[in-house]
Amino acid sequence: APEARRTSQNMLKNIDYTLYLVTGRDLLPPGKDFYQTLEESIQGGVTIVQLREKDLETSAFVELAVKSKVICDKYNVPLLINDRVDVALAAKADGVHLGQSDMAVKRARELLPHTAIIGLSCNTVEHVKGAIKQKVDYIGIGAVWDTKTKKLTNPVIGIHGVADMLAELEGTSIEAVAIGGINSVNLLRTLHGCVTVKNRSLDGVAVVSDIMASADPRCASKKLKEILVNFQRHH
Ligand code: TZP
Ligand code: MG
């Protein structure tokens, strides 16, 4: 059955979405090195990384991805690329994260290795239905809270918005992370608030500024990870 196939494929991939770092070089404190921040954040507990660097030209983005892949490989942490299937292929990244108006998931699957992870940004229950049809590996749900990191074109969805979208995933093997304004102060409240009536909870959270803008990204990640692992122990 397609359902069983999807489940076993996700299990084969065995991705840990617990603490998902989405990068943003522009947020680094003055003098902070990108690669050092990446490595320290992984040492602090980041389990998966997405390069989201919208301002980079292709050559620079590929270089950043190739160098980031070396660091991620050292720790066995998957590396995904935002929007750019070509960059993911060039850097032999582990997959891509696509937005609603990026390349169709089906097209990306045709281009990428069959083991590639494909994630999709979802802002509505309709988006989640589409993600299920397109058999994505995971969805990014948001923005849950307001954020300065991205100019939002849709209203924030809040914890109830996340819970409604998570509920739509019940019975599928698609995993879900929330994104948008999540930090160590609101993380526990966010995790608790997003649990569905049937008790499904988030598989992880995606964070940009709370890690990227930190003077101590290792410490920032560690703080987030401890809250996540403690929550997961009870769910
Ligand atoms: N998509 C929805 S909100 C967002 C993205 C990429 C930015 C989240 O950044 P931060 O700094 O974690 O609020
Ligand atoms: Mg995009």
Side-chain angles (χ1 to χ4, degrees), residues 54 82-83 97-100 102 121:
K54 304 238 180 218
N82 183 276
D83 295 352
H97 183 87
L98 302 172
Q100 290 290 327
D102 291 320
S121 294

Side-chain angles (χ1 to χ4, degrees), residues 160-213:
H160 299 293
V162 178
D164 287 348
M165 290 161 72
L166 264 186
E168 201 61 40
L169 286 181
E170 269 155 20
T172 77
S173 63
I174 298 174
E175 305 207 49
V177 297
I179 185 166
I182 298 171
N183 56 45
S184 59
V185 175
N186 63 28
L187 176 55
L188 191 60
R189 177 159 53 91
T190 305
L191 292 169
H192 276 293
C194 293
V195 175
T196 70
V197 176
K198 284 191 185 165
N199 241 8
R200 184 178 161 150
S201 52
L202 290 166
D203 299 290
V205 294
V207 168
V208 189
S209 55
D210 199 50
I211 296 173
M212 292 301 296

Side-chain angles (χ1 to χ4, degrees), residues 22 27 52 121 142-150 152 179-182 206-210:
V22 178
L27 294 171
R52 181 176 181 275
S121 294
V144 53
W145 308 120
D146 197 15
T147 176
K148 289 194 182 85
T149 305
K150 178 183 177 176
L152 300 178
I179 185 166
I182 298 171
V207 168
V208 189
S209 55
D210 199 50

Side-chain angles (χ1 to χ4, degrees), residues 31-52:
K32 266 264 167 196
D33 178 67
F34 174 82
Y35 301 105
Q36 198 182 336
T37 298
L38 177 62
E39 182 152 11
E40 288 174 7
S41 74
I42 293 171
Q43 290 167 345
V46 162
T47 58
I48 179 165
V49 174
Q50 176 197 140
L51 295 185
R52 181 176 181 275

Side-chain angles (χ1 to χ4, degrees), residues 58 61-62 81 83-91 96 103 111-112:
T58 303
F61 199 1
V62 171
I81 307 295
D83 295 352
R84 298 283 303 269
V85 175
D86 57 340
V87 173
L89 284 167
V96 290
M103 184 186 295
L111 294 169
L112 292 163

